[in-house]
Amino acid sequence: MTSNIKKITGFGLLEVVIALGVLSVGVLGLVKMQAYMEVKAENALKTLDALHIAETQMELFTTRAESTAGGTIHYESISASTTTFVLDNQIAKKIITVKSDVPVSNAKDITVKIEWRDRRNDLRTVELKTVISKYSEFD
């Protein structure tokens, strides 16, 4: 009488090597994704800090009064400037551009732009724009 029972064997060496190869590719993908997410998280935090700085500068412009005694900045003293400062241990620039040739008379077009370089040396910017009238709502 012959037996129809097949012999049960374990995994072969080739199958184990293929499984380890697939697993290592997956682990390398996870490591790459972790590094990518770390850079994106750092950029998000710096962008929030830069936005806060730009909003603070814009607030100084918008809460001004006709005289400096009643507000933060006199309208006539609003001018273009560039300031260098440190944003999370990196050099950043605050660039304020002012254009007086807007279609509305007695108004200035103001742009506050914050620039910095990330860890990959890519230029990152946050830019806020507004138009400010000579006449304040607080006057």
Side-chain angles (χ1 to χ4, degrees), residues 42-55:
E42 180 183 345
N43 286 342
L45 289 174
K46 286 188 180 181
T47 300
L48 284 175
D49 290 341
L51 182 62
H52 177 69
I53 292 167
E55 285 176 339

Side-chain angles (χ1 to χ4, degrees), residues 3-129:
S3 172
N4 288 345
I5 299 175
K6 292 186 178 181
K7 212 177 186 187
I8 298 175
T9 59
F11 292 107
L13 182 60
L14 182 62
E15 292 154 342
V16 171
V17 169
I18 290 172
L20 287 175
V22 169
L23 184 65
S24 64
V25 167
V27 169
L28 285 175
L30 288 174
V31 169
K32 174 95 172 143
M33 185 183 67
Q34 175 65 29
Y36 176 79
M37 294 304 292
E38 184 179 329
V39 168
K40 289 296 182 183
E42 180 183 345
N43 286 342
L45 289 174
K46 286 188 180 181
T47 300
L48 284 175
D49 290 341
L51 182 62
H52 177 69
I53 292 167
E55 285 176 339
T56 302
Q57 184 65 50
M58 238 1 137
E59 191 67 26
L60 289 175
F61 291 142
T62 58
T63 59
R64 69 176 172 39
E66 193 60 33
S67 68
T68 54
T72 55
I73 292 178
H74 192 275
Y75 176 80
E76 301 302 326
S77 67
I78 296 175
S79 60
S81 67
T82 301
T83 307
T84 303
F85 62 98
V86 177
L87 178 65
D88 291 337
N89 298 326
Q90 290 183 336
I91 302 296
K93 288 183 183 177
K94 178 169 56 174
I95 303 166
I96 301 170
T97 55
V98 179
K99 296 179 185 173
S100 297
D101 57 350
V102 293
V104 180
S105 62
N106 292 323
K108 291 184 179 182
D109 185 13
I110 298 177
T111 304
V112 176
K113 185 176 185 181
I114 309 293
E115 292 181 343
W116 72 97
R117 296 218 172 254
D118 63 4
R119 69 164 75 175
R120 293 182 177 166
N121 209 22
D122 293 334
L123 184 64
R124 302 288 179 185
T125 61
V126 169
E127 187 173 318
L128 297 178
K129 295 182 179 186

